[in-house]
Amino acid sequence: TFEFCAAHDVPHRRCGKLIVATDARDEARLRDLAARAAHNGLTLEWLDRAGIAAREPRVRGVAALYVAETGIADYPALCAALANDIRARDGELLLGHEVLAIQERADEAVVETSQGALRGARLVVCGGLQADRLARLAGLETAFAIVPFRGDYFHLPAARSALVSTLIYPVPDPALPFLGVHLTLTADGGLTLGPSAMLALAREIYRPWAWQARDAVDALRY
């Protein structure tokens, strides 16, 4: 990703990440995480209390993993660069095409959209928040549903933007489906805290208290 950003003039920075354990249970999970990361070839540094204080004086913990290979990027610029790369390779981006039906035949896949039918030898569906509905359109039985949660990130005041110099993350809790609240540096020099996790009653509307009847009914029924 860093190489792609550099090649396409996408603003980015390799700032590193600190995953911090705050108690003995966290530390045990952190050691498991370190073992899996090492198995996958990731370069890590194990820090004790003193090591944490030396790297991030305002962070407190019993142990931490420092991941030097982590960074941040200007994601709107990154998405634009990816779109340009697809077009440069003779790909097409068809926006505003609502999927109405999906048919799989022996020799082709047909996607009926609000702008006409699309045909191809293969179809790969990356449905995101609409994955359950798209699966049903393709005739698949689904035992799952998308129940969206909305996360708010809070921008710290500019005077606090230098509070930390790396991304600060908690140790993941396997009992919870959420990543946990973390401190994130932004490409424009800011610092955010979040996310929260609030049940959302609209899948594709991101403002607070948004409501869409179909989405709300699907979530509550599930």
Side-chain angles (χ1 to χ4, degrees):
T1 302
F2 290 120
E3 290 77 11
F4 182 90
C5 288
H8 294 81
D9 297 322
V10 175
H12 65 284
R13 179 155 55 100
R14 193 188 299 262
C15 58
K17 175 193 292 184
L18 206 61
I19 306 172
V20 182
T22 59
D23 56 30
R25 186 175 63 171
D26 267 359
E27 185 175 357
R29 291 174 178 161
L30 192 65
R31 291 191 183 279
D32 289 342
L33 188 64
R36 293 198 303 272
H39 178 74
N40 286 299
L42 191 63
T43 302
L44 303 169
E45 181 182 355
W46 183 272
L47 303 177
D48 57 13
R49 291 179 187 270
I52 295 171
R55 185 167 290 281
E56 288 290 353
R58 295 182 177 88
V59 174
R60 300 288 182 269
V62 298
L65 282 179
Y66 177 63
V67 188
E69 297 165 3
T70 301
I72 57 174
D74 182 332
Y75 282 99
L78 178 58
C79 288
L82 288 169
N84 290 335
D85 196 44
I86 290 170
R87 295 186 182 101
R89 297 167 186 264
D90 296 325
E92 285 186 273
L93 295 175
L94 304 177
L95 307 179
H97 286 58
E98 180 185 359
V99 177
L100 305 176
I102 298 174
Q103 302 173 33
E104 292 186 89
R105 300 170 181 166
D107 58 342
E108 67 174 356
V110 181
V111 180
E112 299 287 348
T113 82
S114 56
Q115 305 296 320
L118 303 172
R119 289 177 163 80
R122 294 179 178 86
L123 173 66
V124 179
V125 178
C126 303
L129 292 174
Q130 306 295 335
D132 54 342
R133 292 169 179 166
L134 289 168
R136 289 194 291 271
L137 285 176
L140 302 176
E141 293 186 9
T142 58
F144 67 92
I146 300 298
V147 180
F149 279 73
R150 193 175 66 84
D152 285 317
Y153 286 84
F154 299 90
H155 283 270
L156 273 66
R160 305 293 284 172
S161 60
L163 187 69
V164 294
S165 60
T166 61
L167 308 179
I168 308 296
Y169 277 68
V171 178
D173 184 347
L176 297 174
F178 307 108
L179 186 60
V181 174
H182 46 275
L183 286 165
T184 306
L185 307 173
T186 62
D188 61 1
L191 182 64
T192 64
L193 175 67
S196 60
M198 301 293 292
L199 179 65
L201 298 179
R203 296 192 187 190
E204 305 281 0
I205 305 173
Y206 296 99
R207 62 178 180 270
W209 313 114
W211 162 273
Q212 202 157 43
R214 182 188 182 193
D215 296 342
V217 168
D218 280 355
L220 296 174
R221 183 172 55 195
Y222 185 75

